[in-house]
């Protein structure tokens, strides 16, 4: 045999390992360390005596390779677990050993956990995957808890009681001095009836309109609720109940906040109601607790309020009208609710109500709840409800004051009209009783002196609207809304829209010109001493020299009231005499969008602006009397503006509500611009169309305005303490359309400088009695003199003798009039009550009102001579 034959392996039981085992004696139970535990070569490649004693003489385990070593390591790990020891600290090799089992053994928990997560016997990403036992356990726990919660909630909620639900309380209004003005909402306009007294047609109407599956559904629309919950959780729009049962439940809550908590409560109660009440009981409760508007809760009160009959006597056609109200009485009451929302006008509401009435009857017919004959009878004629009626305490101006405050509360809070009408609110207002009475007295005094509706048809349907605001604050201290609810006048004329303001708009044009300049002077402003052509029937020039055209391509002409040739006159003079043509061209040169911006910053609301065409400069827009007084208060406050407000504090059941802090004061225009407007408007009173206001006997500024076809007349004026607007108009009571005032008060036409100025003066005398006269700030020169193209250069010549009427500028150069001196007030107005001096108070392509050049010339503001002269009606409208 070769000398290089392979050396046989050493005996399995020999060496130092055997010696150590021998020393341990037969009683030793120590087990062999797993491979790699000692770090020796024999550990890596030898075999271990697992569970065998060397002293016993048992047969040694033969060499088993790597697989056997891994199994031994695993068995060692299990033994280590049972002993509760960490392999890293007790293992024979220690942490430094290169063995593979160390890391695995060290992650094993010492004892079994209740929830094994992360999982102890898994490694890597598997440690984070929950076991099926854990998942199923959690699901069972969750659904079990949910069932328990539903059960407890169902047991704890109570069912609604229609006899105690939706009870109405008083709303109490207070004057600015804290004294009580009026308490409204006595809670008596509600009376429950049983199902036998509710017509089948009424029940059918609400089922066809609101919930066709009423008799078959469980009372809850689970899909609808889930959709509403998700929508609210995501911050989307809130949604109401979709079944009659849910709406009945919702009616029983005094707080109708759309919240997750309330939705859950509504669901549980609806489920309980659906199981405990019959469908007839649910229908009875729903119709007894629903709000139909006008303070009427329940079908019985609604039947009396709208038709003057008991619920049992309602016809199917009337039932359809009342069912339409359930969609929202503010917008479906045909009488209109413009004081709550301008969109809820009488005309718009009538149309909405009529359309839904027809749709409900059609649905009832489709659902076989009306026979063919009943349907044909029902749709023959829309049953128009009775008009509104005054309630206790809501008479005179109190009704308009309360409605103005109510509108303000609804606009500045999350309170719904239904919640508000349920009462419990204390509303502290800005209204001053003495000033409210003074304004009402002024209107009534002038009406009595000038109007005779019993003997003159043209004096019928004449209305007034007025408001008084504190400059630099915005508080509305007084308003006049009309003849009162007791006289069937339910529209608040102080806060109505639709009455064009005429020439009272011209100060915004001048302010924009002084601030921004024209396309020729920008960015430098234009001086009010700049000259523009004041002649009648003029074309309006575009920037490129072309003319503004009508839709049919013909040339647009702007007219004044008379054909008097004023020539090129200063803007100051044009404002004084209220001449149209200079301001139309000036506005076009400045840019009507800039005029709109100035008016907007001064307080005019965007939804009252008219189309931006040439006539926009002459007052085709229709802001309310409140907004016009507030906008002029901006001039009085040297360019500072505060939004008008009527409520200082609101409490609910004695607790203060948020959202009623005083509006912030902002800068609407530079101080020198506002003061120059004031200086120009002072001259209107001293020497122009507003001379009737001189009777006030203190420093004041203002502007007259009359509109196309003499359909409205305005005067808006101010001192530093108070800004007041007065509007006068005629309105057809059937369709709310404006009527011409030509012939009213026995004169050819009504001007802003006539009756409206007289009312303004009468009121301001009383309102400012005993107050000092601070005058107005000085008005430094502003802008550059930028005459319209074609104006003659100024030439110093002999001045004209001043008129008998005091003026701030006693002489005028020929270049200012170009043709002849302007007529003075004394030449055309010798009697205060019949003074017709308001100039330029029509617009578009129609003529304006100006001072007549002779005493024999008529001054009809409503004259439409402009159309006959080819002016066209593209821009039409009311201007002044």
């Amino acid at each position: 045999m070769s000398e290089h034959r392979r050396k046989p392996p050493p005996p399995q039981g020999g060496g130092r390992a055997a010696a150590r085992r021998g020393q341990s004696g037969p009683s030793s139970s120590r087990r062999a360390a797993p491979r790699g535990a000692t770090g020796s070569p024999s550990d890596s490649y030898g075999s271990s005596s697992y569970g065998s004693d060397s002293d016993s003489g048992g047969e040694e385990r033969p060499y088993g390779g790597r697989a056997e070593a891994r199994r031994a390591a695993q068995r060692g790990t299990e033994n280590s677990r049972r002993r509760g020891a960490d392999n890293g600290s007790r293992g024979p090799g220690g942490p430094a050993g290169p063995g593979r089992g160390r890391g695995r053994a060290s992650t094993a928990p010492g004892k079994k956990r209740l929830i094994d997560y992360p999982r102890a016997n898994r490694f890597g990403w598997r440690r984070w995957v929950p076991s099926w036992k854990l998942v199923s356990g959690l699901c069972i726990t969750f659904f079990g808890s949910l069932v328990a919660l539903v059960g407890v909630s169902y047991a704890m909620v109570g069912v609604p009681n229609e006899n105690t639900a939706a009870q109405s309380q008083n709303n109490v209004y207070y004057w600015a001095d804290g004294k009580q003005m009026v308490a409204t909402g006595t809670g008596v306009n509600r009376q429950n009836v049983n199902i036998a007294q509710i017509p089948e047609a009424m029940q059918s109407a609400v089922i066809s309109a609101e919930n066709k599956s009423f008799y078959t559904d469980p009372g809850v629309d689970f899909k609808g609720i889930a959709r509403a919950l998700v929508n609210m959780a995501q911050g989307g729009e809130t949604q109401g109940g979709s079944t009659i049962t849910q709406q009945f439940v919702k009616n029983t809550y005094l707080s109708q906040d759309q919240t997750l908590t309330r939705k859950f409560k509504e669901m549980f109660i609806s489920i309980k109601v659906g199981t405990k009440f019959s469908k007839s009981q649910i229908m009875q409760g729903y119709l007894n607790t629903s709000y139909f508007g006008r303070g009427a809760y329940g079908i019985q009160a609604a039947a009396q309020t709208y038709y003057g009959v008991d619920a049992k006597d309602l016809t199917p056609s009337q039932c359809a009208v009342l069912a339409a109200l359930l969609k929202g009485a503010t917008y479906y009451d045909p009488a209109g609710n413009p004081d709550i929302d301008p969109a809820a006008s009488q005309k718009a509401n009538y149309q909405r109500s009529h359309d839904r009435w027809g749709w409900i009857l059609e649905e009832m017919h489709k659902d076989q709840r009306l026979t063919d004959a009943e349907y044909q009878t029902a749709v023959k004629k829309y049953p128009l409800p009775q008009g509104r009626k005054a309630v206790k305490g809501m008479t005179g101006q109190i009704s308009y004051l309360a409605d103005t405050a109510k509108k303000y509360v609804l606009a500045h809070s999350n309170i719904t009209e239904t919640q508000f009408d349920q009462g419990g609110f204390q509303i502290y207002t800005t209204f001053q009783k003495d000033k409210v009475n003074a304004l009402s007295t002024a209107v009534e005094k002038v009406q009595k002196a000038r109007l005779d509706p019993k003997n003159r048809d043209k004096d019928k349907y004449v209305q007034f609207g007025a408001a008084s605001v504190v400059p630099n604050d915005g508080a509305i201290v007084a308003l006049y809304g009309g003849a009162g609810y007791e006289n069937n006048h339910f529209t608040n004329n102080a806060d109505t829209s639709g009455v064009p303001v005429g020439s009272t708009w011209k100060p915004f044009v001048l302010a924009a010109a002084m601030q921004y300049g024209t396309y020729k002077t920008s960015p430098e402003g234009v001086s009010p001493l700049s000259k523009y052509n004041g002649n009648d029937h003029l074309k309006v020039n575009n920037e490129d020299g072309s003319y503004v055209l009508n839709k049919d391509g013909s040339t647009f002409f702007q007219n004044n009231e008379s054909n008097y040739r004023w020539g090129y006159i200063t803007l100051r003079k044009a404002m004084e005499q209220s001449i149209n043509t200079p301001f139309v061209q000036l506005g076009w040169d400045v840019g009507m969008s800039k005029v709109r911006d100035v008016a907007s910053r001064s307080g005019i609301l965007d939804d009252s602006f008219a189309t931006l065409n040439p006539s926009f400069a002459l007052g085709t827009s229709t802001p309310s009397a409140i907004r016009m007084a507030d906008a002029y208060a901006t001039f009085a406050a040297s360019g500072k503006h505060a939004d008008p407000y009527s409520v200082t504090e609101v409490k609910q059941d004695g607790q203060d509500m948020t959202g009623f802090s005083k509006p912030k004061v902002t800068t609407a225009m530079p101080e020198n611009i506002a003061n120059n407007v004031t200086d120009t408007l002072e001259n209107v009173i001293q020497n122009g169309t507003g001379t009737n206001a001189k009777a006030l006997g203190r420093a004041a500024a203002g502007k007259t305005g009359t509109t196309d076809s003499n359909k409205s007349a305005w005067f808006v004026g101010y001192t530093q303490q108070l800004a007041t607007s007065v509007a006068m108009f005629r309105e057809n009571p059937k369709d709310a359309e404006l009527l011409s005032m030509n012939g009213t008060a026995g004169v050819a036409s009504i001007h802003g400088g006539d009756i409206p100025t007289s009312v303004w003066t009468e009121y301001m005398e009383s309102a400012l009695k005993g107050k000092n006269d601070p005058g107005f700030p000085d008005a430094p020169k502003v802008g550059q003199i930028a005459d319209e193209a074609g104006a003659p250069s100024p030439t110093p010549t002999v001045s004209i003798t001043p008129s008998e009427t005091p003026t701030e500028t006693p002489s005028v150069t020929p270049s200012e009039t170009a043709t002849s001196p302007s007529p003075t007030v004394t030449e055309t107005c010798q009697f205060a009550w019949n003074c017709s001096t308001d100039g330029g108070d029509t617009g578009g392509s129609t003529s304006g009102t100006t001072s007549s050049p002779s005493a024999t010339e008529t001054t009809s503001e409503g004259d439409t001579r402009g159309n006959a002269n080819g002016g066209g009606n593209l821009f039409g409208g009311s201007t002044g």
Side-chain angles (χ1 to χ4, degrees):
M1 184 177 280
S2 170
E3 293 180 354
H4 301 284
R5 63 182 178 180
R6 187 173 184 177
K7 185 180 180 180
Q12 294 287 332
R16 282 178 286 179
R20 283 196 298 272
R21 285 194 297 271
Q23 292 172 1
S24 63
S27 62
S28 174
S29 60
R30 181 175 178 180
R31 296 185 181 276
R35 187 184 71 179
T38 65
S40 68
S42 62
D43 284 331
S44 299
Y45 294 101
S47 64
S48 301
S49 296
Y50 244 76
S52 101
D53 257 322
S54 58
D55 290 347
S56 66
E59 185 176 353
E60 295 289 343
R61 184 182 299 274
Y63 175 75
R66 293 185 180 181
E68 180 62 25
R70 282 197 298 273
R71 285 192 294 272
Q74 291 172 357
R75 284 192 292 270
T77 300
E78 293 300 323
N79 291 337
S80 180
R81 273 186 193 160
R82 284 193 294 268
R83 289 193 302 269
D86 189 323
N87 187 56
S89 62
R90 288 189 171 184
R100 297 185 181 181
R102 181 177 60 85
R104 295 186 182 181
S106 65
T107 60
K111 59 181 179 179
K112 191 172 182 180
R113 294 178 294 172
L114 178 62
I115 299 177
D116 185 19
Y117 191 82
R119 300 175 70 181
N121 60 343
R122 294 292 184 271
F123 311 98
W125 61 268
R126 291 182 178 85
R127 283 170 52 80
W128 304 101
V129 178
S131 66
W132 68 270
K133 293 181 180 180
L134 179 60
V135 173
S136 59
L138 289 176
C139 288
I140 292 172
T141 301
F142 173 76
F143 286 110
S145 300
L146 186 61
V147 170
L149 177 63
V150 170
V152 171
S153 300
Y154 180 84
M156 291 183 65
V157 297
V159 294
N161 185 342
E162 63 185 274
N163 294 310
T164 58
Q167 292 295 333
S168 177
Q169 305 176 58
N170 282 340
N171 283 329
V172 183
Y173 296 84
Y174 298 89
W175 294 103
D177 62 4
K179 295 181 180 179
Q180 182 172 317
M181 178 196 303
V182 67
T184 65
T186 60
V188 298
N189 197 16
R190 185 173 183 271
Q191 180 183 348
N192 287 346
V193 292
N194 61 46
I195 194 68
Q197 296 172 293
I198 302 175
E200 270 308 321
M202 189 67 215
Q203 300 176 52
S204 298
V206 296
I207 290 172
S208 293
E210 306 283 339
N211 184 193
K212 289 179 181 289
S213 62
F214 172 68
Y215 285 112
T216 59
D217 64 43
V220 177
D221 179 6
F222 290 103
K223 290 183 178 178
I225 288 179
R227 185 169 56 249
L229 292 175
V230 171
N231 203 38
M232 285 188 289
Q234 294 176 343
E237 293 184 1
T238 58
Q239 298 179 359
S242 57
T243 69
I244 286 176
T245 303
Q246 288 173 258
Q247 292 180 60
F248 167 43
V249 170
K250 188 175 68 171
N251 288 345
T252 66
Y253 282 92
L254 291 179
S255 172
Q256 304 220 1
D257 296 333
Q258 294 286 359
T259 62
L260 291 173
T261 301
R262 199 194 67 78
K263 270 292 176 187
F264 275 115
K265 286 182 180 179
E266 178 187 308
M267 179 179 68
F268 289 128
I269 297 175
S270 297
I271 294 171
K272 199 165 190 175
V273 167
T275 58
K276 286 186 172 291
F277 288 1
S278 68
K279 292 294 184 179
S280 294
Q281 289 175 309
I282 294 172
M283 177 62 71
Q284 174 182 303
Y286 171 60
L287 289 175
N288 275 332
T289 58
S290 292
Y291 183 62
F292 289 84
R294 299 190 192 180
Y297 289 90
I299 185 60
Q300 174 65 15
Q304 287 289 345
T305 298
Y306 287 90
Y307 291 108
V309 300
D310 289 331
K312 62 184 179 62
D313 298 322
L314 290 168
T315 67
S317 188
Q318 292 171 334
C319 289
V321 173
L322 296 182
L325 291 168
L326 295 174
K327 190 172 177 65
T330 298
Y331 301 99
Y332 287 85
D333 181 351
N337 285 284
D339 294 334
I340 301 300
D341 188 341
S345 65
Q346 182 178 5
K347 184 176 182 180
N349 275 22
Y350 174 85
Q351 190 61 51
R352 277 189 286 261
S353 176
H354 185 279
D355 292 347
R356 189 161 177 83
W357 162 78
W359 176 81
I360 290 174
L361 289 175
E362 185 178 353
E363 291 299 306
M364 292 169 68
H365 185 229
K366 287 180 182 178
D367 297 339
Q368 298 183 347
R369 300 182 184 279
L370 283 180
T371 65
D372 291 347
E374 290 172 333
Y375 174 70
Q376 293 301 327
T377 300
V379 297
K380 276 184 179 179
K381 184 179 180 181
Y382 174 82
L384 184 68
Q386 299 174 351
R388 293 177 180 269
K389 300 179 180 67
V391 298
K392 183 179 180 181
M394 297 289 279
T395 57
Q397 296 309 302
I398 298 295
S399 52
Y400 307 117
L401 299 175
D403 274 351
T404 300
K406 174 183 176 179
K407 183 177 179 180
Y408 189 87
V409 171
L410 298 183
H412 291 80
S413 69
N414 294 323
I415 302 169
T416 66
E417 184 181 9
T418 301
Q419 288 174 274
F420 188 89
D421 288 346
Q422 285 173 343
F425 297 95
Q426 297 86 49
I427 303 99
Y428 296 83
T429 75
T430 60
F431 304 125
Q432 298 179 20
K433 187 176 181 179
D434 59 336
K435 290 182 173 59
V436 170
N437 290 339
L439 186 55
S440 178
T441 299
V443 172
E444 292 168 2
K445 180 178 179 180
V446 175
Q447 272 184 312
K448 185 177 180 180
R450 298 298 307 279
L451 303 177
D452 186 8
K454 292 183 179 180
N455 298 310
R456 282 196 297 258
D457 286 341
K458 288 289 186 176
D459 289 3
K460 293 179 179 179
Y461 314 131
V462 173
Q463 299 182 32
F464 291 86
S468 195
V469 173
V470 177
N472 209 31
D473 181 274
I476 306 170
V477 295
L479 58 79
Y480 182 87
Y485 283 15
E486 68 275 21
N487 293 311
N488 295 318
H489 185 86
F490 296 94
T491 300
N492 185 355
N493 290 344
D495 199 21
T496 190
S497 59
V499 182
V501 297
S503 285
T504 58
W505 198 257
K506 289 174 181 174
F508 300 123
V509 181
L510 181 60
M514 290 192 292
Q515 181 172 354
Y516 298 110
T518 66
Y519 67 90
K520 294 183 290 186
T521 69
S522 181
E524 187 172 357
V526 170
S527 167
L529 297 180
S530 301
K531 297 183 181 67
Y532 271 68
N533 194 340
N535 289 337
D536 181 43
H537 196 59
L538 296 180
K539 301 173 183 177
V540 180
N541 294 287
N542 289 311
E543 183 177 335
D544 61 4
S546 62
Y547 299 128
V548 174
L549 304 177
N550 293 309
K551 282 184 177 180
D552 60 4
S554 61
T555 302
F556 170 79
F557 288 85
Q558 178 59 53
N559 299 301
N560 297 323
E561 198 284 325
S562 76
N563 60 2
Y564 182 77
R565 297 186 61 79
W566 291 95
Y568 285 88
I569 57 175
T570 64
L571 297 173
R572 180 182 176 87
K573 187 70 176 178
M575 185 76 76
E576 172 192 299
Q577 297 299 323
S578 199
I579 304 169
N580 287 340
T581 49
F583 285 99
V584 171
Q585 186 62 61
L586 177 66
W588 207 244
D589 291 346
V590 173
M592 293 301 179
S593 62
K594 290 184 173 64
V595 176
R596 178 193 59 197
D597 292 345
V598 168
S600 178
R601 291 196 302 272
S602 299
I604 304 299
L605 298 177
D606 290 346
D607 57 10
S608 64
F609 286 128
T611 304
L612 298 185
N613 55 41
S615 292
F616 182 79
L618 302 178
T620 52
S621 297
T622 58
S624 67
I626 290 175
R627 285 288 169 174
M628 282 302 288
D630 180 65
Y632 270 50
T634 303
F635 300 136
S638 297
K640 302 294 184 183
H641 171 257
D643 280 332
Y645 67 101
S646 58
V647 175
T648 59
E649 184 181 7
V650 176
K651 295 182 179 181
Q652 184 177 23
D653 300 325
Q655 300 297 315
D656 287 330
M657 302 190 67
T658 60
F660 299 99
S661 57
K662 185 183 297 187
K664 294 181 179 179
V665 176
T666 61
T667 300
M669 65 186 71
E671 182 177 336
N672 63 329
I673 301 298
N675 290 341
N676 269 274
V677 171
T678 294
D679 182 68
T680 303
L681 297 186
E682 280 189 279
N683 186 53
V684 170
I685 291 178
Q686 292 300 316
N687 304 301
T689 59
T691 54
N692 276 344
K694 288 172 66 176
L696 180 60
R698 63 172 64 219
K703 183 69 187 76
T704 57
T706 313
T707 60
D708 186 31
S709 299
N710 202 205
K711 290 182 178 179
S712 64
W714 289 72
F715 184 77
V716 188
Y718 55 92
T719 65
Q720 275 203 321
Q721 299 107 319
L722 216 53
T724 302
S725 65
V726 178
M728 177 182 176
F729 56 94
R730 289 183 71 215
E731 186 175 70
N732 188 330
K734 294 182 179 180
D735 56 16
E737 294 293 327
L738 294 180
L739 303 172
S740 174
M741 291 190 292
N742 288 337
T744 296
V747 297
S749 60
I750 298 295
H751 304 76
D754 187 4
I755 293 179
T757 304
S758 298
V759 172
W760 182 90
T761 306
E762 191 78 32
Y763 162 70
M764 292 290 278
E765 277 186 306
S766 177
L768 297 173
K769 187 176 182 179
K771 301 290 178 62
N772 65 331
D773 182 6
F776 294 107
D778 292 335
K781 292 182 179 180
V782 63
Q784 63 171 296
I785 295 178
D787 297 340
E788 183 184 5
S793 300
T795 55
T797 57
V798 179
S799 62
I800 297 169
T801 304
S803 63
E804 296 178 8
T805 303
T807 64
E808 293 183 4
T809 53
S811 62
V812 187
T813 63
S815 63
E816 180 172 339
T817 58
T819 313
S820 61
S822 62
T824 64
V825 174
T826 53
E827 289 175 323
T828 59
C829 181
Q830 300 179 12
F831 305 100
W833 284 115
N834 294 308
C835 180
S836 299
T837 61
D838 186 2
D841 292 333
T842 63
S845 55
T846 61
S847 62
T849 303
T850 64
S851 301
S852 304
S854 67
T856 58
E857 236 178 276
T858 61
T859 57
S860 170
E861 297 179 36
D863 147 344
T864 55
R865 178 179 45 73
N867 292 334
N869 290 338
N873 278 323
L874 169 61
F875 302 117
S878 318
T879 64

